[in-house]
Amino acid sequence: MNNSSVMIQIIMNEILQNLINTREVAGFIDNIIVGIEEEEGHDKVVVEVVKRSVENDLYVKPEKCK
């Protein structure tokens, strides 16, 4: 697929739109960056990102999570 990275970016933008708009999350192709400094807020956003990913049949490789 020639446009696979473009399609992944579109999907990420759609499912994470409000988190991206509030600058809690940045998505770049197949990477998601959570930019919350407080641990409590960070964990909450990570849980939301994982929840939305599961709901949309997207999966992560645990070895890529830091």
Side-chain angles (χ1 to χ4, degrees):
M1 291 175 61
N2 291 337
N3 297 324
S4 60
S5 31
V6 172
M7 291 305 299
I8 292 170
Q9 183 70 56
I10 290 168
I11 292 167
M12 297 303 294
N13 288 346
E14 285 182 19
I15 68 170
L16 300 172
Q17 182 177 13
N18 69 317
L19 297 173
I20 292 170
N21 289 344
T22 59
R23 297 181 178 240
E24 295 174 314
V25 169
F28 182 71
I29 304 177
D30 64 346
N31 296 300
I32 301 170
I33 301 165
V34 177
I36 302 293
E37 293 184 20
E38 302 82 31
E39 187 174 339
E40 184 178 314
H42 180 272
D43 293 348
K44 182 179 175 182
V45 174
V46 169
V47 167
E48 184 63 26
V49 168
V50 171
K51 178 181 156 231
R52 292 181 189 192
S53 297
V54 169
E55 288 172 350
N56 289 277
D57 296 322
L58 301 175
Y59 303 94
V60 298
K61 292 182 180 180
E63 64 271 10
K64 289 185 76 177
C65 299
K66 296 179 185 180

